[in-house]
Amino acid sequence: MGCTHSHPGDRFDPGRCSASCPVCGTYGSANRGEPCAPHQRPGSRERCPGSGRPAV
């Protein structure tokens, strides 16, 4: 589904999304309740365990 905070003619900006990872708090490209995209915790090289969980 993706983030609904896009505007015609604009590039996608994850900063316009209001949902974040329930584990590390990183804002991503999901709306609340949608699965978080695979990502890394800030300062880590490992995949965050919140990847795939519903964004909050």
Side-chain angles (χ1 to χ4, degrees):
M1 192 179 232
C3 178
T4 58
H5 292 83
S6 60
H7 302 278
D10 284 351
R11 293 184 188 182
F12 171 74
D13 182 1
R16 292 180 178 167
C17 297
S18 60
S20 63
C21 173
V23 174
C24 69
T26 300
Y27 286 90
S29 60
N31 290 309
R32 290 178 191 233
E34 291 182 353
C36 292
H39 63 280
Q40 298 171 335
R41 288 183 183 190
S44 174
R45 291 186 176 183
E46 296 181 14
R47 182 176 173 173
C48 177
S51 298
R53 291 188 180 179
V56 293

